[in-house]
Amino acid sequence: MPFPLRWPAVLALAPLAAAAQSQTPDAALPVITVSVNKQAESLDAVPASVSVFDGTALESAGVRGLDALSAQVPGFGFQAFGQSGVQPPVMRGLTANFVSFSSSTLLLVDGVPTLMAQGFEHNLQGVDRVEVLRGPQSTLYGRNAEAGVVSITTRQPGEAPYASASAEAGNQGQRAGSFELGRALVPGQWYLGLSGEWRAQDGFIREQGTGERVDSRERASARLALRWTPTAETEATLRYAQQRWDDGAAQWGSISAPRATVNSGTSSWNRSRGQTLSLDVSHRFASGLKLRSITARNVFDDRVLQDTDFQPADLLHVGRDYRLATTSQELRLEGESQALGGARWLAGLYLDRDDHDLRYEQRLPAALMRPTAALQGSTAALFTHWTIPLAERWTLAAGGRIERNRVKLAPMGAAAHSDDWTRFSPKLSLQYQWSPQAQVYASLSEGYRAGGFNVFSPAMGHAPYGPETVRAWEIGAKGRLAGQRLRYAASLYTQQVRDMQVQQMGLPGVVYITNAARARSTGADFELDYVLGSGWQLQAALGLNRTRFGAFRDGAAVYDGHRNPFVPDLNLHVALRYDAPRGWWAQAAVQGTGKAYLDAANSYRRPGYGLLHLSAGYAEGPWEIAAYLRNAADRRHDAVGYLNGQVVVYSPPREFGLRLTWRM
């Protein structure tokens, strides 16, 4: 088996999914409304694989980032990277390296896209809900949603005031504080929402000479929402969000050194920043049509200096000073067609522009290179989606998107390169609602990721790589049983991937993208949320995936039949929670992940692992105190051989702490 269940499990703060955890004991699971198809609809009626998490439940259980959340989602995870603020996602066998400046999974925060691994993070504080939609979603969301979408909706301020504050302390010098508040400034018209968090932790990797810890972590974030409702039909929300990191070295080391030690002559650090400004305006016309516009500016400053040889002399290191800026505009109109039996439809226009300033630094034994480049891109797309009732229990959903992408690379001191691609991405699903609480469905969809250039590979002539395309078939079933106390979902899928973009690594810091001829990804997702009764609640998720290259030649190397790097064959999550009548609760969760290779040759890997997390708390009135223990057995799952065998990415050790929260 790829994941040995006999291993001691990690005690992870793994909350129950929103549907189970946010309810009182023995209550029926509620009807959950989602917007994964950019229209409000019941989770039970969506013909797709969707996981939904309630923000309050995530906050109570201490899930404070997308990496922790991903452990609860079938077929979803992140590459082992070890640097804050840069998280290349992995979903259903598809992933993208950060050097491609694109991602195979799209992150949306209040409709604002993050299109690459840089900035693919959120602390999940001040969140209303998180929706994770798996499978190609290029029809509605474009080129960076070929594997799926993570959509975060933050809490919207309204008439009812709310406030909370939290303080936390734990081992390894953990300390944190956060707050959130919302209230009406002018009742019926103006509302304000604010939230912020600061979190710091000492490192666990020690410098051999001094004994000092070199990988300390510090993160801060703040968000503001100003909402205006001049009429019952119109509202506008101005949002600003900022996140910053002030870290020491990456959680890296030499494969030949004692674990969690370095002997480095280079002072490594990460001082990255992210900022987002957006305006979200919607209006409902008397005819029932709804118009929505989302205008956004998303900027991420990726600033890192990192040793890669871990020697007293400064022989090898890499540095990044990138400003990654994307301006986007989406305009969409939705309504119903009585001529088609009440069919719901949506049509939209999407535009974006990338303006990236890239300054890279690479120290080699013989030279210090500092290449600079400007990378620009643009997208223009038209899309539509229709949900059409065919008969009493049958529904057809169909959509399409025509998208044009342009990329221009201008390296300093070299000739510019440019290319463009146009792609039509369709989607079709057929759904049979065989009972009011259950359905089966089948879908066909296509995904797409644009090509690009190897920005910092002058020896290769900044070689281009082509678009990656995916065609996916999926069948699934979902519903509720046991008096509405059990929700289940299961799906089987297969994906044909052509011209797969695969990362290759030479010397440390020398990473390039090339196209594999083809690959296939097949798998299954299973989810279960069950209110057992007498205060007990259960959540389980299982993802199985097999992604293999069909034909892949890279020079003289032959990788036919090899696994796609960073993709495990299995991930598992099981959580059990008990809520006592007198306000205390306890929770245990097991998390498991299969082995994942780190290169196309499948020479280096991160082993499969199992983790166990525990937490417990007591609530009295507005106060709650909680204790947590993550990775209770202190299991290690280091990624050994990153950067073509040069680096090990260390897994973090056991963590424990206390959290005190006040909520109004």
Side-chain angles (χ1 to χ4, degrees), residues 73 114 130 171 195 269 382 401 405 513 534 571 636 644:
V73 181
T114 293
V130 182
N171 69 324
S195 66
W269 46 263
L382 294 171
R401 183 187 191 97
N405 308 113
I513 307 296
S534 301
N571 75 312
R636 299 175 181 177
N644 200 28

Side-chain angles (χ1 to χ4, degrees), residues 597-605 640:
Y597 288 100
L598 309 179
D599 63 329
N602 291 178
S603 301
Y604 309 103
R605 69 177 187 174
V640 181

Side-chain angles (χ1 to χ4, degrees), residues 44 58 193 216 219 235 284 301 393 404 611 638 647 649 659:
D44 297 331
L58 293 173
S216 61
R219 180 180 74 187
E235 72 172 85
R284 184 175 295 278
D301 294 308
R393 298 185 178 182
R404 184 172 181 82
L611 304 175
D638 301 341
V647 170
V649 181
R659 184 178 62 254

Side-chain angles (χ1 to χ4, degrees), residues 26-67:
D26 308 339
L29 295 170
V31 175
I32 298 176
T33 299
V34 297
S35 56
V36 292
N37 287 323
K38 300 192 176 183
Q39 292 176 297
E41 55 190 324
S42 168
L43 172 64
D44 297 331
V46 177
S49 297
V50 186
S51 300
V52 185
F53 301 88
D54 175 73
T56 301
L58 293 173
E59 180 186 4
S60 174
V63 176
R64 57 190 190 219
L66 292 180
D67 186 44

Side-chain angles (χ1 to χ4, degrees), residues 232-392:
E233 294 77 26
T234 305
E235 72 172 85
T237 304
L238 179 69
R239 295 184 176 94
Y240 175 76
Q242 183 183 83
Q243 52 185 344
R244 66 169 180 83
W245 293 265
D246 192 0
D247 296 350
Q251 293 172 341
W252 293 5
S254 170
I255 60 172
S256 60
R259 187 182 189 273
T261 66
V262 295
N263 189 13
S264 178
T266 303
S267 178
S268 302
W269 46 263
N270 176 0
R271 301 189 185 108
S272 299
R273 304 286 187 272
Q275 298 181 77
T276 301
L277 179 65
S278 68
L279 179 63
D280 186 344
V281 182
S282 63
H283 177 75
R284 184 175 295 278
F285 297 94
S287 62
L289 295 178
K290 183 178 180 181
L291 179 67
R292 187 174 182 186
S293 168
I294 302 176
T295 308
R297 172 78 168 173
N298 197 347
V299 178
F300 189 82
D301 294 308
D302 184 19
R303 296 171 179 164
V304 171
L305 182 67
Q306 177 60 45
D307 188 18
T308 55
D309 64 351
F310 310 103
Q311 298 297 319
D314 185 11
L315 300 177
L316 297 173
H317 73 243
V318 294
R320 304 192 301 270
D321 186 1
Y322 299 165
R323 165 148 285 209
L324 308 165
T326 299
T327 304
S328 61
Q329 171 66 60
E330 181 171 277
L331 191 68
R332 63 180 187 257
L333 186 68
E334 63 180 89
E336 292 188 4
S337 172
Q338 298 307 317
L340 294 175
R344 294 182 296 113
W345 60 269
L346 177 147
L349 166 71
Y350 175 82
L351 304 168
D352 72 28
R353 179 176 176 83
D354 295 330
D355 290 289
H356 305 329
D357 294 324
L358 310 174
R359 291 176 291 278
Y360 187 63
E361 179 176 312
Q362 183 176 9
R363 162 68 74 179
L364 298 174
L368 176 63
M369 299 184 296
R370 289 174 171 162
T372 301
L375 182 64
Q376 297 179 331
S378 63
T379 302
L382 294 171
F383 59 90
T384 187
H385 180 82
W386 291 71
T387 303
I388 306 171
L390 298 179
E392 182 180 356

